[in-house]
Amino acid sequence: MLKHLEDFVVIWAHESAKTHLILGALTDASLGQRVTPEGRSLGFLAWHLSTTIREMLNLAGIPTEGPSYDAPAPARAREITGAYATAAASVSPALLGAWRDADLAREVPMYGRIWSGHDVLERFLFHEIHHRGQMTVVMRQAGLRVPGIYG
């Protein structure tokens, strides 16, 4: 449980570094890989992680950088990785500049509902981890080496 903003900052540093490892293993050719013909492509998932940082946290009043949610996905893996790196690096400074520990208990309107500030940060982390996990499955199907994440 996040009791202080610094708790999130420490977790985010670890989790975003792991995501960066995964993104760094992508190739341009792998971006079109899908589990099923109707499923999300590896490139879509990577870009979704890159754009959600700004989309979700800005909605919560944390002014992060990065590509807008509706920006078209680049065709090159390196561009996606760069966009993610920029957005991810902006998270902790933006959070610490916009919120205080008391904001973890504050009500925040999110996606037509009310979340606590704690819920915003926790769901943001879980979203990242969830899609990163999806990516590792698709990466294996694309024949890519999946970097070790938790052991």
Side-chain angles (χ1 to χ4, degrees):
M1 175 164 200
L2 304 173
K3 295 183 181 180
H4 304 282
L5 296 180
E6 191 60 35
D7 298 336
F8 173 85
V9 168
V10 169
I11 294 168
W12 177 246
H14 291 288
E15 294 304 328
S16 62
K18 291 171 185 177
T19 301
H20 193 76
L21 280 175
I22 293 293
L23 294 175
L26 301 180
T27 64
D28 295 348
S30 72
L31 296 180
Q33 181 71 40
R34 299 171 189 269
V35 174
T36 65
E38 309 81 37
R40 293 175 167 180
S41 70
L42 190 52
F44 175 90
L45 290 168
W47 190 239
H48 178 65
L49 286 178
S50 301
T51 62
T52 300
I53 292 172
R54 178 176 161 197
E55 183 266 333
M56 186 174 189
L57 294 181
N58 285 14
L59 185 61
I62 303 166
T64 56
E65 298 178 24
S68 68
Y69 193 73
D70 57 356
R76 299 186 49 85
R78 183 175 291 176
E79 291 177 37
I80 295 172
T81 303
Y84 177 84
T86 297
S90 76
V91 170
S92 293
L95 174 68
L96 296 175
W99 282 19
R100 300 292 171 254
D101 285 344
D103 290 310
L104 291 169
R106 176 173 61 89
E107 291 185 343
V108 180
M110 295 290 291
Y111 307 111
R113 297 179 182 223
I114 299 296
W115 297 358
S116 70
H118 175 273
D119 289 343
V120 169
L121 297 179
E122 186 175 73
R123 290 173 187 174
F124 173 74
L125 288 168
F126 292 164
H127 175 268
E128 176 102 0
I129 294 165
H130 165 73
H131 287 305
R132 191 176 65 214
Q134 289 179 319
M135 289 179 67
T136 64
V137 172
V138 184
M139 288 171 72
R140 285 185 175 93
Q141 290 182 317
L144 299 176
R145 182 183 90 47
V146 177
I149 297 296
Y150 292 115

Short mmCIF file of all heavy atoms in Angstrom, two decimals, residues 49-110:
data_model
loop_
_atom_site.label_atom_id
_atom_site.label_comp_id
_atom_site.label_asym_id
_atom_site.label_seq_id
_atom_site.Cartn_x
_atom_site.Cartn_y
_atom_site.Cartn_z
N LEU A 49 1.33 1.76 -23.68
CA LEU A 49 2.04 2.07 -22.44
C LEU A 49 2.68 3.45 -22.50
O LEU A 49 2.69 4.18 -21.51
CB LEU A 49 3.11 1.01 -22.15
CG LEU A 49 2.60 -0.34 -21.67
CD1 LEU A 49 3.77 -1.30 -21.47
CD2 LEU A 49 1.79 -0.20 -20.39
N SER A 50 3.19 3.81 -23.65
CA SER A 50 3.84 5.11 -23.81
C SER A 50 2.86 6.27 -23.70
O SER A 50 3.18 7.30 -23.12
CB SER A 50 4.55 5.17 -25.17
OG SER A 50 5.51 4.15 -25.27
N THR A 51 1.67 6.11 -24.27
CA THR A 51 0.69 7.20 -24.27
C THR A 51 -0.15 7.27 -23.01
O THR A 51 -0.63 8.34 -22.65
CB THR A 51 -0.25 7.11 -25.49
OG1 THR A 51 -0.99 5.90 -25.43
CG2 THR A 51 0.54 7.18 -26.79
N THR A 52 -0.33 6.14 -22.34
CA THR A 52 -1.17 6.13 -21.15
C THR A 52 -0.57 6.92 -20.01
O THR A 52 -1.29 7.44 -19.16
CB THR A 52 -1.46 4.68 -20.71
OG1 THR A 52 -2.12 4.01 -21.77
CG2 THR A 52 -2.33 4.63 -19.48
N ILE A 53 0.74 7.04 -19.98
CA ILE A 53 1.38 7.81 -18.90
C ILE A 53 0.80 9.21 -18.86
O ILE A 53 0.27 9.66 -17.84
CB ILE A 53 2.91 7.82 -19.07
CG1 ILE A 53 3.47 6.42 -18.85
CG2 ILE A 53 3.55 8.85 -18.13
CD1 ILE A 53 4.94 6.28 -19.20
N ARG A 54 0.88 9.89 -19.97
CA ARG A 54 0.36 11.27 -20.02
C ARG A 54 -1.16 11.30 -19.88
O ARG A 54 -1.70 12.12 -19.13
CB ARG A 54 0.79 11.91 -21.34
CG ARG A 54 0.28 13.32 -21.51
CD ARG A 54 0.81 13.94 -22.78
NE ARG A 54 0.00 15.06 -23.16
CZ ARG A 54 -0.01 15.61 -24.35
NH1 ARG A 54 0.79 15.14 -25.29
NH2 ARG A 54 -0.78 16.62 -24.62
N GLU A 55 -1.84 10.42 -20.58
CA GLU A 55 -3.30 10.42 -20.58
C GLU A 55 -3.86 10.23 -19.18
O GLU A 55 -4.67 11.01 -18.69
CB GLU A 55 -3.82 9.34 -21.54
CG GLU A 55 -5.32 9.30 -21.68
CD GLU A 55 -5.99 8.32 -20.75
OE1 GLU A 55 -5.36 7.32 -20.35
OE2 GLU A 55 -7.16 8.55 -20.40
N MET A 56 -3.41 9.20 -18.49
CA MET A 56 -4.00 8.86 -17.20
C MET A 56 -3.56 9.83 -16.09
O MET A 56 -4.39 10.30 -15.32
CB MET A 56 -3.61 7.43 -16.82
CG MET A 56 -4.28 6.92 -15.58
SD MET A 56 -3.87 5.18 -15.35
CE MET A 56 -4.97 4.77 -14.02
N LEU A 57 -2.29 10.12 -16.04
CA LEU A 57 -1.83 10.97 -14.94
C LEU A 57 -2.24 12.42 -15.12
O LEU A 57 -2.56 13.10 -14.14
CB LEU A 57 -0.32 10.83 -14.77
CG LEU A 57 0.12 9.43 -14.31
CD1 LEU A 57 1.63 9.36 -14.14
CD2 LEU A 57 -0.59 8.99 -13.04
N ASN A 58 -2.26 12.92 -16.35
CA ASN A 58 -2.75 14.28 -16.55
C ASN A 58 -4.21 14.41 -16.17
O ASN A 58 -4.62 15.43 -15.61
CB ASN A 58 -2.52 14.72 -18.00
CG ASN A 58 -1.07 15.06 -18.29
OD1 ASN A 58 -0.17 14.74 -17.51
ND2 ASN A 58 -0.83 15.67 -19.42
N LEU A 59 -4.99 13.38 -16.43
CA LEU A 59 -6.39 13.38 -16.02
C LEU A 59 -6.51 13.52 -14.50
O LEU A 59 -7.45 14.15 -14.01
CB LEU A 59 -7.07 12.08 -16.50
CG LEU A 59 -8.55 11.93 -16.27
CD1 LEU A 59 -9.34 13.03 -16.99
CD2 LEU A 59 -9.02 10.56 -16.74
N ALA A 60 -5.54 12.99 -13.80
CA ALA A 60 -5.54 13.06 -12.33
C ALA A 60 -4.87 14.33 -11.80
O ALA A 60 -4.71 14.48 -10.60
CB ALA A 60 -4.83 11.83 -11.76
N GLY A 61 -4.47 15.22 -12.70
CA GLY A 61 -3.85 16.47 -12.27
C GLY A 61 -2.35 16.39 -12.06
O GLY A 61 -1.78 17.22 -11.36
N ILE A 62 -1.72 15.40 -12.67
CA ILE A 62 -0.27 15.24 -12.58
C ILE A 62 0.27 15.50 -13.99
O ILE A 62 0.14 14.64 -14.87
CB ILE A 62 0.11 13.82 -12.09
CG1 ILE A 62 -0.55 13.55 -10.74
CG2 ILE A 62 1.62 13.66 -12.02
CD1 ILE A 62 -0.53 12.09 -10.32
N PRO A 63 0.82 16.68 -14.25
CA PRO A 63 1.15 17.11 -15.62
C PRO A 63 2.44 16.47 -16.18
O PRO A 63 3.50 17.06 -16.18
CB PRO A 63 1.30 18.61 -15.48
CG PRO A 63 1.78 18.80 -14.07
CD PRO A 63 1.12 17.72 -13.25
N THR A 64 2.29 15.25 -16.67
CA THR A 64 3.43 14.53 -17.24
C THR A 64 3.62 14.87 -18.72
O THR A 64 2.73 15.44 -19.35
CB THR A 64 3.24 13.02 -17.09
OG1 THR A 64 1.99 12.65 -17.69
CG2 THR A 64 3.24 12.61 -15.63
N GLU A 65 4.76 14.47 -19.23
CA GLU A 65 5.08 14.66 -20.64
C GLU A 65 4.79 13.37 -21.40
O GLU A 65 4.44 12.37 -20.81
CB GLU A 65 6.56 15.02 -20.79
CG GLU A 65 6.93 16.32 -20.12
CD GLU A 65 8.42 16.61 -20.24
OE1 GLU A 65 9.06 16.10 -21.17
OE2 GLU A 65 8.92 17.35 -19.38
N GLY A 66 4.97 13.44 -22.70
CA GLY A 66 4.83 12.25 -23.52
C GLY A 66 3.82 12.44 -24.63
O GLY A 66 3.15 13.47 -24.71
N PRO A 67 3.71 11.41 -25.47
CA PRO A 67 2.79 11.52 -26.60
C PRO A 67 1.34 11.51 -26.14
O PRO A 67 1.01 10.92 -25.11
CB PRO A 67 3.11 10.27 -27.42
CG PRO A 67 3.72 9.31 -26.46
CD PRO A 67 4.42 10.15 -25.43
N SER A 68 0.49 12.18 -26.91
CA SER A 68 -0.93 12.18 -26.56
C SER A 68 -1.53 10.82 -26.86
O SER A 68 -1.03 10.06 -27.69
CB SER A 68 -1.67 13.28 -27.32
OG SER A 68 -1.70 12.99 -28.69
N TYR A 69 -2.61 10.53 -26.17
CA TYR A 69 -3.24 9.22 -26.25
C TYR A 69 -3.69 8.87 -27.67
O TYR A 69 -3.67 7.72 -28.06
CB TYR A 69 -4.42 9.15 -25.28
CG TYR A 69 -4.94 7.76 -25.06
CD1 TYR A 69 -4.19 6.86 -24.30
CD2 TYR A 69 -6.14 7.35 -25.59
CE1 TYR A 69 -4.65 5.57 -24.08
CE2 TYR A 69 -6.61 6.06 -25.37
CZ TYR A 69 -5.86 5.18 -24.62
OH TYR A 69 -6.31 3.90 -24.41
N ASP A 70 -4.07 9.87 -28.44
CA ASP A 70 -4.56 9.61 -29.80
C ASP A 70 -3.48 9.77 -30.87
O ASP A 70 -3.77 9.70 -32.06
CB ASP A 70 -5.76 10.50 -30.11
CG ASP A 70 -5.45 11.98 -29.96
OD1 ASP A 70 -4.33 12.34 -29.54
OD2 ASP A 70 -6.35 12.78 -30.26
N ALA A 71 -2.24 9.95 -30.46
CA ALA A 71 -1.15 10.07 -31.44
C ALA A 71 -0.95 8.73 -32.15
O ALA A 71 -1.03 7.68 -31.52
CB ALA A 71 0.14 10.48 -30.74
N PRO A 72 -0.70 8.77 -33.46
CA PRO A 72 -0.48 7.51 -34.17
C PRO A 72 0.82 6.85 -33.72
O PRO A 72 1.80 7.52 -33.42
CB PRO A 72 -0.41 7.93 -35.64
CG PRO A 72 -0.08 9.39 -35.62
CD PRO A 72 -0.62 9.94 -34.33
N ALA A 73 0.79 5.53 -33.67
CA ALA A 73 1.96 4.78 -33.24
C ALA A 73 3.06 4.84 -34.29
O ALA A 73 2.79 4.68 -35.48
CB ALA A 73 1.58 3.32 -32.98
N PRO A 74 4.28 5.06 -33.87
CA PRO A 74 5.40 5.03 -34.81
C PRO A 74 5.60 3.62 -35.37
O PRO A 74 5.23 2.62 -34.75
CB PRO A 74 6.61 5.42 -33.95
CG PRO A 74 6.04 6.07 -32.74
CD PRO A 74 4.70 5.45 -32.52
N ALA A 75 6.22 3.54 -36.52
CA ALA A 75 6.51 2.25 -37.15
C ALA A 75 7.85 1.69 -36.69
O ALA A 75 8.19 0.56 -37.04
CB ALA A 75 6.49 2.40 -38.67
N ARG A 76 8.60 2.46 -35.93
CA ARG A 76 9.93 2.03 -35.49
C ARG A 76 9.94 1.82 -33.97
O ARG A 76 9.50 2.69 -33.21
CB ARG A 76 10.98 3.05 -35.90
CG ARG A 76 11.07 3.22 -37.43
CD ARG A 76 12.19 4.11 -37.88
NE ARG A 76 13.47 3.80 -37.29
CZ ARG A 76 14.33 2.87 -37.76
NH1 ARG A 76 14.03 2.19 -38.82
NH2 ARG A 76 15.48 2.67 -37.15
N ALA A 77 10.46 0.68 -33.57
CA ALA A 77 10.51 0.33 -32.14
C ALA A 77 11.31 1.36 -31.35
O ALA A 77 10.92 1.72 -30.23
CB ALA A 77 11.11 -1.07 -31.98
N ARG A 78 12.39 1.85 -31.91
CA ARG A 78 13.24 2.81 -31.21
C ARG A 78 12.47 4.09 -30.89
O ARG A 78 12.68 4.70 -29.84
CB ARG A 78 14.46 3.12 -32.06
CG ARG A 78 15.44 4.05 -31.36
CD ARG A 78 16.69 4.24 -32.15
NE ARG A 78 17.42 2.97 -32.13
CZ ARG A 78 18.53 2.74 -32.79
NH1 ARG A 78 19.06 3.67 -33.54
NH2 ARG A 78 19.13 1.58 -32.71
N GLU A 79 11.57 4.52 -31.76
CA GLU A 79 10.77 5.72 -31.51
C GLU A 79 9.79 5.50 -30.35
O GLU A 79 9.58 6.41 -29.55
CB GLU A 79 10.03 6.15 -32.77
CG GLU A 79 10.94 6.66 -33.86
CD GLU A 79 10.18 7.01 -35.13
OE1 GLU A 79 9.05 7.54 -35.02
OE2 GLU A 79 10.72 6.76 -36.21
N ILE A 80 9.22 4.32 -30.30
CA ILE A 80 8.30 3.99 -29.19
C ILE A 80 9.08 3.99 -27.89
O ILE A 80 8.64 4.58 -26.88
CB ILE A 80 7.60 2.65 -29.43
CG1 ILE A 80 6.68 2.74 -30.65
CG2 ILE A 80 6.81 2.22 -28.19
CD1 ILE A 80 6.08 1.41 -31.09
N THR A 81 10.24 3.35 -27.88
CA THR A 81 11.06 3.28 -26.68
C THR A 81 11.47 4.68 -26.22
O THR A 81 11.43 4.98 -25.02
CB THR A 81 12.30 2.41 -26.93
OG1 THR A 81 11.86 1.11 -27.36
CG2 THR A 81 13.15 2.26 -25.69
N GLY A 82 11.82 5.54 -27.15
CA GLY A 82 12.19 6.91 -26.80
C GLY A 82 11.03 7.69 -26.22
O GLY A 82 11.20 8.44 -25.25
N ALA A 83 9.86 7.53 -26.81
CA ALA A 83 8.67 8.22 -26.29
C ALA A 83 8.33 7.74 -24.89
O ALA A 83 7.99 8.54 -24.01
CB ALA A 83 7.49 8.02 -27.24
N TYR A 84 8.44 6.43 -24.69
CA TYR A 84 8.19 5.88 -23.35
C TYR A 84 9.20 6.46 -22.35
O TYR A 84 8.82 6.86 -21.25
CB TYR A 84 8.26 4.35 -23.35
CG TYR A 84 8.08 3.81 -21.95
CD1 TYR A 84 6.81 3.62 -21.43
CD2 TYR A 84 9.17 3.55 -21.13
CE1 TYR A 84 6.63 3.18 -20.13
CE2 TYR A 84 9.01 3.11 -19.83
CZ TYR A 84 7.73 2.92 -19.34
OH TYR A 84 7.56 2.50 -18.05
N ALA A 85 10.46 6.48 -22.71
CA ALA A 85 11.51 6.97 -21.81
C ALA A 85 11.23 8.41 -21.39
O ALA A 85 11.36 8.76 -20.20
CB ALA A 85 12.88 6.84 -22.45
N THR A 86 10.85 9.24 -22.33
CA THR A 86 10.54 10.64 -22.02
C THR A 86 9.36 10.74 -21.07
O THR A 86 9.41 11.46 -20.07
CB THR A 86 10.24 11.42 -23.32
OG1 THR A 86 11.40 11.41 -24.15
CG2 THR A 86 9.81 12.85 -23.03
N ALA A 87 8.30 10.01 -21.39
CA ALA A 87 7.10 10.06 -20.55
C ALA A 87 7.38 9.49 -19.16
O ALA A 87 7.01 10.10 -18.15
CB ALA A 87 5.96 9.30 -21.22
N ALA A 88 8.05 8.36 -19.10
CA ALA A 88 8.33 7.71 -17.81
C ALA A 88 9.20 8.59 -16.92
O ALA A 88 8.97 8.67 -15.71
CB ALA A 88 8.98 6.35 -18.04
N ALA A 89 10.17 9.26 -17.51
CA ALA A 89 11.07 10.12 -16.72
C ALA A 89 10.34 11.33 -16.15
O ALA A 89 10.78 11.90 -15.15
CB ALA A 89 12.23 10.58 -17.59
N SER A 90 9.23 11.71 -16.75
CA SER A 90 8.51 12.89 -16.27
C SER A 90 7.58 12.58 -15.10
O SER A 90 7.12 13.51 -14.42
CB SER A 90 7.69 13.50 -17.41
OG SER A 90 6.53 12.75 -17.71
N VAL A 91 7.32 11.31 -14.83
CA VAL A 91 6.30 10.94 -13.85
C VAL A 91 6.65 11.40 -12.44
O VAL A 91 5.86 12.11 -11.80
CB VAL A 91 6.03 9.41 -13.88
CG1 VAL A 91 5.16 8.98 -12.71
CG2 VAL A 91 5.38 9.02 -15.20
N SER A 92 7.76 11.00 -11.91
CA SER A 92 8.08 11.32 -10.51
C SER A 92 8.21 12.82 -10.27
O SER A 92 7.62 13.34 -9.30
CB SER A 92 9.32 10.57 -10.06
OG SER A 92 9.03 9.18 -10.03
N PRO A 93 8.95 13.56 -11.11
CA PRO A 93 8.99 15.02 -10.87
C PRO A 93 7.62 15.68 -10.96
O PRO A 93 7.30 16.57 -10.16
CB PRO A 93 9.92 15.54 -11.98
CG PRO A 93 10.71 14.37 -12.42
CD PRO A 93 9.83 13.17 -12.20
N ALA A 94 6.79 15.23 -11.90
CA ALA A 94 5.46 15.81 -12.03
C ALA A 94 4.61 15.49 -10.81
O ALA A 94 3.90 16.36 -10.28
CB ALA A 94 4.78 15.30 -13.30
N LEU A 95 4.68 14.25 -10.35
CA LEU A 95 3.91 13.85 -9.17
C LEU A 95 4.32 14.66 -7.95
O LEU A 95 3.48 15.23 -7.25
CB LEU A 95 4.10 12.35 -8.90
CG LEU A 95 3.48 11.83 -7.61
CD1 LEU A 95 1.96 11.89 -7.68
CD2 LEU A 95 3.95 10.42 -7.33
N LEU A 96 5.62 14.73 -7.70
CA LEU A 96 6.10 15.44 -6.51
C LEU A 96 5.88 16.95 -6.61
O LEU A 96 5.81 17.63 -5.58
CB LEU A 96 7.58 15.12 -6.29
CG LEU A 96 7.88 13.65 -5.97
CD1 LEU A 96 9.38 13.42 -5.89
CD2 LEU A 96 7.17 13.19 -4.70
N GLY A 97 5.73 17.47 -7.82
CA GLY A 97 5.43 18.88 -7.99
C GLY A 97 3.96 19.21 -7.86
O GLY A 97 3.59 20.34 -7.54
N ALA A 98 3.10 18.21 -8.11
CA ALA A 98 1.66 18.48 -8.14
C ALA A 98 0.92 17.98 -6.89
O ALA A 98 -0.11 18.54 -6.53
CB ALA A 98 1.04 17.83 -9.38
N TRP A 99 1.39 16.92 -6.29
CA TRP A 99 0.68 16.30 -5.17
C TRP A 99 1.53 16.32 -3.91
O TRP A 99 2.75 16.43 -3.96
CB TRP A 99 0.36 14.85 -5.50
CG TRP A 99 -0.81 14.62 -6.40
CD1 TRP A 99 -1.41 15.51 -7.24
CD2 TRP A 99 -1.50 13.38 -6.58
NE1 TRP A 99 -2.43 14.91 -7.92
CE2 TRP A 99 -2.51 13.60 -7.53
CE3 TRP A 99 -1.36 12.13 -6.03
CZ2 TRP A 99 -3.39 12.60 -7.94
CZ3 TRP A 99 -2.23 11.12 -6.43
CH2 TRP A 99 -3.24 11.36 -7.37
N ARG A 100 0.84 16.14 -2.80
CA ARG A 100 1.46 15.93 -1.49
C ARG A 100 0.92 14.61 -0.95
O ARG A 100 -0.06 14.08 -1.47
CB ARG A 100 1.11 17.08 -0.53
CG ARG A 100 1.58 18.45 -1.00
CD ARG A 100 3.10 18.53 -0.99
NE ARG A 100 3.60 19.73 -1.62
CZ ARG A 100 4.18 19.78 -2.82
NH1 ARG A 100 4.33 18.70 -3.55
NH2 ARG A 100 4.62 20.92 -3.31
N ASP A 101 1.50 14.11 0.11
CA ASP A 101 1.04 12.84 0.68
C ASP A 101 -0.47 12.84 0.95
O ASP A 101 -1.14 11.83 0.75
CB ASP A 101 1.79 12.51 1.96
CG ASP A 101 3.21 12.02 1.71
OD1 ASP A 101 3.54 11.65 0.56
OD2 ASP A 101 4.00 12.01 2.68
N ALA A 102 -1.00 13.95 1.38
CA ALA A 102 -2.44 14.04 1.70
C ALA A 102 -3.30 13.77 0.47
O ALA A 102 -4.45 13.34 0.61
CB ALA A 102 -2.77 15.40 2.29
N ASP A 103 -2.77 13.99 -0.72
CA ASP A 103 -3.54 13.76 -1.94
C ASP A 103 -3.80 12.28 -2.20
O ASP A 103 -4.67 11.94 -3.01
CB ASP A 103 -2.84 14.38 -3.15
CG ASP A 103 -2.90 15.90 -3.12
OD1 ASP A 103 -4.00 16.44 -2.91
OD2 ASP A 103 -1.84 16.53 -3.28
N LEU A 104 -3.11 11.40 -1.53
CA LEU A 104 -3.38 9.97 -1.67
C LEU A 104 -4.78 9.63 -1.18
O LEU A 104 -5.40 8.67 -1.65
CB LEU A 104 -2.33 9.14 -0.93
CG LEU A 104 -0.93 9.18 -1.53
CD1 LEU A 104 0.07 8.55 -0.57
CD2 LEU A 104 -0.91 8.48 -2.88
N ALA A 105 -5.30 10.41 -0.25
CA ALA A 105 -6.65 10.19 0.28
C ALA A 105 -7.71 11.04 -0.42
O ALA A 105 -8.91 10.83 -0.21
CB ALA A 105 -6.67 10.47 1.78
N ARG A 106 -7.28 11.97 -1.24
CA ARG A 106 -8.20 12.88 -1.92
C ARG A 106 -9.02 12.14 -2.97
O ARG A 106 -8.56 11.19 -3.59
CB ARG A 106 -7.38 14.00 -2.58
CG ARG A 106 -8.17 14.99 -3.40
CD ARG A 106 -7.28 16.14 -3.86
NE ARG A 106 -6.16 15.76 -4.69
CZ ARG A 106 -6.20 15.67 -6.02
NH1 ARG A 106 -7.31 15.90 -6.66
NH2 ARG A 106 -5.11 15.36 -6.69
N GLU A 107 -10.25 12.60 -3.21
CA GLU A 107 -11.09 12.04 -4.28
C GLU A 107 -10.68 12.66 -5.61
O GLU A 107 -10.50 13.88 -5.71
CB GLU A 107 -12.56 12.33 -4.01
CG GLU A 107 -13.11 11.55 -2.83
CD GLU A 107 -14.60 11.77 -2.66
OE1 GLU A 107 -15.17 12.74 -3.23
OE2 GLU A 107 -15.21 10.96 -1.94
N VAL A 108 -10.53 11.80 -6.62
CA VAL A 108 -10.09 12.24 -7.95
C VAL A 108 -11.08 11.69 -8.97
O VAL A 108 -11.29 10.48 -9.04
CB VAL A 108 -8.67 11.70 -8.27
CG1 VAL A 108 -8.22 12.17 -9.64
CG2 VAL A 108 -7.68 12.11 -7.19
N PRO A 109 -11.73 12.56 -9.76
CA PRO A 109 -12.62 12.05 -10.80
C PRO A 109 -11.80 11.40 -11.92
O PRO A 109 -10.92 12.02 -12.50
CB PRO A 109 -13.36 13.29 -11.31
CG PRO A 109 -12.59 14.47 -10.80
CD PRO A 109 -11.70 14.02 -9.69
N MET A 110 -12.08 10.13 -12.18
CA MET A 110 -11.34 9.37 -13.19
C MET A 110 -12.31 8.50 -13.98
O MET A 110 -12.98 7.63 -13.42
CB MET A 110 -10.29 8.47 -12.52
CG MET A 110 -9.17 9.19 -11.82
SD MET A 110 -8.01 10.03 -12.90
CE MET A 110 -7.19 8.66 -13.69
#
